[in-house]
């Protein structure tokens, strides 16, 4: 609570505004990311639509759309860690410390920047998914947005934790790629939960189902009437909250440790 009282909203706004302006400067990177996400949706749907079991997935395009929506939030929020990593290697943080902004405001501001990026980038994918499938009730839509915010905050914090845990570029890249691989492929974005349960060993199935991306996708699919979830909406939001607390602690600790060296 003491930390929260020390946060100046204007300082947080300055940090977020700066990071958002930098985000829009990477136009070609954004164009590539949008293209990749749309390609994932259309190519996977076209290739696998007639190959999957109809009893598990009647329409693979509809099945994939919520997964791509969650991936969009995850990928864009994760990008904040790459920029923080560059600042760490170039010791740019010394300049940040000279600004009239506290360390806590810098740490929280960077995490919020990643969260806002994730939500902004995800919005068109969310709209497309809703148009393609169905318009949810207002309360359900609010639950989807809340889940998106929790996922984006978790990914932003986790990405910052990875990028500030070491100054070694090779190690940063390895950790980021490994985390990306685990979160992306060991999830239910591409496969239905029953198939994961029959094909994956029990420990890997547990990881896949409790993955924050899987939890968010499960909530989307449950609300949009695509497939039932093993967890209730309340349970999913609570689990996403647990993921967020863990990621916040890690991201805040490593970022502040780096600033105080």
């Amino acid at each position: 609570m003491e930390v929260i009282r020390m946060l100046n909203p204007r300082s947080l706004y300055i940090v977020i505004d700066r990071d958002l302006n930098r985000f829009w400067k990477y136009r070609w990177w954004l164009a590539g990311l949008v293209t990749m996400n749309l390609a994932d949706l259309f190519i996977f749907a076209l290739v696998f639509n007639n190959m999957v079991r109809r009893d598990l997935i009647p329409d693979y395009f509809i099945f994939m759309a919520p997964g791509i929506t969650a991936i969009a939030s995850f990928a864009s929020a994760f990008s904040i860690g790459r920029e923080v990593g560059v600042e760490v290697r170039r010791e740019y943080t010394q300049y940040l410390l000279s600004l009239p902004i506290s360390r806590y405001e810098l740490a929280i501001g960077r995490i919020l920047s990643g969260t806002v990026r994730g939500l902004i980038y995800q919005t068109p994918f969310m709209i497309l998914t809703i148009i393609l499938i169905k318009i949810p009730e207002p309360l359900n839509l609010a639950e989807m947005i809340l889940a998106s915010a929790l996922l984006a905050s978790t990914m932003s914090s986790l990405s910052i934790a990875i990028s500030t845990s070491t100054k070694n570029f090779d190690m940063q890249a390895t950790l980021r790629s490994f985390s990306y691989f685990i979160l992306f492929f060991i999830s239910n974005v591409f496969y239905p939960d029953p198939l994961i349960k029959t094909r994956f060993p029990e420990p890997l199935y547990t990881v896949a189902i409790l993955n924050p991306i899987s939890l968010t996708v499960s909530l989307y699919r449950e609300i949009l009437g695509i497939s039932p979830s093993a967890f209730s909406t309340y349970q999913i939001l609570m689990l996403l909250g647990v993921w967020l607390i863990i990621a916040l602690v890690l991201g805040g600790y490593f970022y502040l440790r780096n600033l105080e060296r």
Side-chain angles (χ1 to χ4, degrees), residues 8 10 28 36-37 68 115 130 195 220 226:
N8 184 333
R10 175 165 173 73
W28 292 110
M36 183 184 71
N37 289 150
I68 297 301
T115 304
I130 288 173
L195 185 63
Y220 291 167
I226 297 172

Side-chain angles (χ1 to χ4, degrees), residues 17-161:
D17 184 58
R18 166 186 173 274
D19 280 341
L20 276 182
N21 287 330
R22 293 178 64 184
F23 186 53
W24 299 125
K25 288 181 180 177
Y26 299 119
R27 295 183 182 85
W28 292 110
W29 180 82
L30 281 173
L33 194 59
V34 170
T35 303
M36 183 184 71
N37 289 150
L38 288 176
D40 285 343
L41 177 59
F42 288 102
I43 293 176
F44 273 98
L46 285 173
V47 171
F48 291 107
N49 196 40
N50 294 319
M51 297 173 63
V52 297
R53 288 171 49 184
R54 294 291 182 182
D55 57 323
L56 292 176
I57 308 176
D59 187 327
Y60 199 73
F61 186 84
I62 297 299
F63 177 81
M64 276 286 292
I68 297 301
T69 301
I71 288 294
S73 174
F74 152 63
S76 51
F78 213 73
S79 70
I80 190 70
R82 180 168 50 85
E83 294 173 27
V84 171
V86 171
E87 293 172 359
V88 170
R89 293 196 303 278
R90 296 180 180 175
E91 299 187 346
Y92 189 74
T93 48
Q94 296 302 316
Y95 163 73
L96 296 175
L97 288 172
S98 69
L99 301 175
I101 297 174
S102 73
R103 289 170 168 77
Y104 289 117
E105 288 165 346
L106 269 176
I108 300 298
R110 306 309 294 276
I111 291 171
L112 289 176
S113 297
T115 304
V116 174
R117 285 183 178 190
L119 291 176
I120 290 175
Y121 181 81
Q122 187 200 42
T123 298
F125 290 93
M126 178 73 82
I127 293 173
L128 177 64
T129 298
I130 288 173
I131 291 174
L132 287 173
I133 304 173
K134 77 171 188 178
I135 299 175
E137 298 292 328
L139 177 60
N140 294 145
L141 180 61
E143 291 168 345
M144 292 175 68
I145 294 172
L146 177 58
S148 297
L150 291 170
L151 175 65
S153 299
T154 301
M155 293 301 107
S156 175
S157 304
L158 182 62
S159 180
I160 289 174

Side-chain angles (χ1 to χ4, degrees), residues 174-193:
T174 301
L175 290 173
R176 285 176 59 82
S177 298
F178 182 71
S179 303
Y180 209 95
F181 175 83
I182 296 292
L183 291 166
F184 193 81
F185 289 106
I186 305 182
S187 71
N188 62 3
V189 170
F190 302 100
Y191 331 104
D193 293 358

